Amino acid sequence: MHAMTPTEVFLLAMLIILTVPYLVWRLLRTDYWAPLVVVQIIGGILLGPGVLGAAFPDYYAFVFTPGTITALNGIAWWAVMMFVWIAGIELDLAEAWRRRTETGVTASLALGVPLLTGSIAAVLLLRTDGWRGPEGATWQVVVGIGMACAVTALPILVLLMEKLGILRTPLGQRTLRYASLDDIAIWGVLALILLDWERVGRQGSFLVGFALATYAVRKLLPRIPEADRWYVSLIWLAAAGFAADWAGLHFMVGAFLAGAVLDAEWFDREAMDRFRHIILLTVMPVFFLSTGLRTEWGVGGATVFAAAALLLVASVGGKLLGVGLAGRILGWKKGDAMTIGWLLQTKALIMIIFVNILLDKRIVTNETFTALLLMALASTMLTTPIVAPRLKRFPELLKRRQ
């Protein structure tokens, strides 16, 4: 019998990663409540050790060998770095500043209230064993879980609003402003959680070096052709990711910062949209699979699902309450707060990236990671079925700028 080479095993894994979620998405027509990216994440969970690995351990061990997983992880790291980098570039901080009072009030409450409710849920979870990682201090776990409940996934929000046909409407642009400020806060909180006083010198050196390098990059990019800007920007991305990881802040913090300091107008908008879609199509499925491979149910499946339900209530309830408070303070009209609250509830990618980092740093356990992943999927899948009917009920929402 022919023994498969490592290349053949790797390609077999890629075949499974690309085929299974696509067939489920297309044949079951899940796009209304579960876009392809959500199905891919669910597919990663099902293909992981907790489901496929438990049901068919020999088959799982044959396909997902240590060598295959190492190769897949390399692709996943670079894929998600590019994705976060694009999200950083697309932040429209100028518009947020022009409407800073409204944007600041809404973004603060939309982030702060679910951060509080999520932290309370985390305190309840920590009353039992199995949720805190070996390197995690109590405050890091509580703030990390709280932030995971407060996150809005800007790239997935863009994707869902495109499908709903509201991305370029005043409602869509309002929602993006609020999400943009929260996106910055997410990475700021992550940097705080990862702050290592034993390596504070390195982290200080990184910040100083990054500021100097940013000045040079911002001077260079507008002076070179756009085709060269893309290539030079990828070099910048790799350098920033390496430097941030060397400093102990994780390469994903560097990836986001590398994009956030660049101006979107330096790049053609259609080209950027195509680039984002190509990443989603070609390499992000590998990240979703590698995410699923990390799910575990060591404290018991029922316990993990119960934890996910608690976190879902904290996340959804906190987000709707926060945006509702903002609507009352700012005098929004009927329907605005509930609709925007559900749009900002979209999680998936960014929260998964955020919690992956906490897991990498051993701040949370695989079981905590699994519960948060299930919560993110549920909240994202609820968004379209709830928002779409509201847009039909309140069509005037699309035209209101505040």
Side-chain angles (χ1 to χ4, degrees):
M1 180 180 293
H2 169 68
M4 283 197 179
T5 66
T7 302
E8 291 168 345
V9 174
F10 170 79
L11 292 175
L12 178 61
M14 287 296 298
L15 181 63
I16 294 170
I17 293 167
L18 294 172
T19 304
V20 174
Y22 174 78
L23 291 177
V24 171
W25 172 72
R26 180 55 69 195
L27 296 178
L28 298 184
R29 299 180 180 179
T30 68
D31 208 36
Y32 181 71
W33 51 273
L36 179 57
V37 292
V38 172
V39 177
Q40 288 169 334
I41 298 168
I42 296 172
I45 296 173
L46 297 177
L47 292 171
V51 181
L52 179 67
F56 306 101
D58 293 339
Y59 177 75
Y60 178 85
F62 172 72
V63 175
F64 297 107
T65 64
T68 299
I69 291 176
T70 298
L72 292 174
N73 281 342
I75 296 173
W77 294 336
W78 184 240
V80 77
M81 283 181 69
M82 290 190 291
F83 202 86
V84 169
W85 172 68
I86 286 290
I89 293 176
E90 291 181 325
L91 290 178
D92 191 352
L93 299 180
E95 180 63 19
W97 177 251
R98 280 193 290 270
R99 298 177 178 269
R100 52 189 174 274
T101 300
E102 174 221 353
T103 303
V105 169
T106 306
S108 298
L109 289 171
L111 185 77
V113 176
L115 173 60
L116 176 61
T117 55
S119 297
I120 293 171
V123 170
L124 294 175
L125 286 179
L126 290 178
R127 297 177 68 179
T128 59
D129 294 331
W131 308 107
R132 178 167 53 192
E135 303 294 331
T138 299
W139 75 269
Q140 289 176 306
V141 179
V142 170
V143 174
I145 293 176
M147 199 65 196
C149 290
V151 164
T152 295
L154 192 60
I156 296 301
L157 176 62
V158 170
L159 180 66
L160 291 185
M161 289 201 297
E162 280 180 339
K163 290 184 179 297
L164 290 167
I166 64 172
L167 179 60
R168 304 303 178 194
T169 66
L171 173 66
Q173 295 305 299
R174 283 175 66 187
T175 307
L176 284 180
R177 285 202 313 275
Y178 310 145
S180 294
L181 284 191
D182 286 351
D183 228 30
I184 296 172
I186 289 162
W187 299 104
V189 169
L190 179 62
L192 176 64
I193 292 172
L194 298 181
L195 188 63
D196 184 348
W197 290 105
E198 293 182 1
R199 289 197 285 181
V200 71
R202 275 193 182 191
Q203 292 169 351
S205 299
F206 164 75
L207 294 176
V208 172
F210 182 82
L212 295 173
T214 295
Y215 177 80
V217 169
R218 289 185 59 84
K219 286 291 185 182
L220 172 65
L221 286 186
R223 290 172 168 77
I224 61 178
E226 186 179 348
D228 288 0
R229 289 176 200 165
W230 284 98
Y231 198 91
V232 171
S233 295
L234 289 174
I235 296 173
W236 167 237
L237 167 63
F242 169 79
D245 211 65
W246 169 84
L249 291 175
H250 203 276
F251 60 84
M252 213 56 64
V253 174
F256 176 77
L257 291 174
V261 299
L262 303 183
D263 292 346
E265 55 263 29
W266 293 343
F267 306 89
D268 179 73
R269 170 64 64 179
E270 291 184 3
M272 188 172 293
D273 288 342
R274 287 195 303 270
F275 186 69
R276 184 178 62 251
H277 286 301
I278 289 171
I279 294 171
L280 271 172
L281 176 69
T282 57
V283 287
M284 282 303 287
V286 178
F287 170 72
F288 301 141
L289 183 279
S290 66
T291 296
L293 294 179
R294 310 181 80 172
T295 56
E296 289 187 10
W297 316 82
V299 298
T303 303
V304 172
F305 274 99
L310 172 66
L311 294 168
L312 181 63
V313 171
S315 174
V316 173
K319 186 70 73 174
L320 295 180
L321 177 60
V323 178
L325 288 172
R328 284 183 174 275
I329 293 170
L330 297 169
W332 289 356
K333 295 185 178 178
K334 184 178 180 180
D336 285 29
M338 183 65 69
T339 304
I340 292 173
W342 275 106
L343 286 170
L344 291 176
Q345 184 53 45
T346 304
K347 296 192 182 306
L349 275 179
I350 298 300
M351 198 226 73
I352 293 170
I353 294 167
F354 179 83
V355 182
N356 259 292
I357 296 170
L358 298 183
L359 184 61
D360 283 342
K361 297 296 184 180
R362 305 178 74 195
I363 293 171
V364 299
T365 64
N366 289 84
E367 288 78 13
T368 308
F369 173 82
T370 304
L372 286 167
L373 181 59
L374 293 172
M375 178 272 287
L377 291 173
S379 65
T380 303
M381 290 169 66
L382 286 170
T383 301
T384 300
I386 290 178
V387 171
R390 293 189 62 79
L391 295 176
K392 292 181 181 179
R393 183 181 173 189
F394 302 105
E396 66 277 9
L397 279 176
L398 298 177
K399 301 175 184 178
R400 290 205 281 264
R401 297 183 179 275
Q402 195 268 320

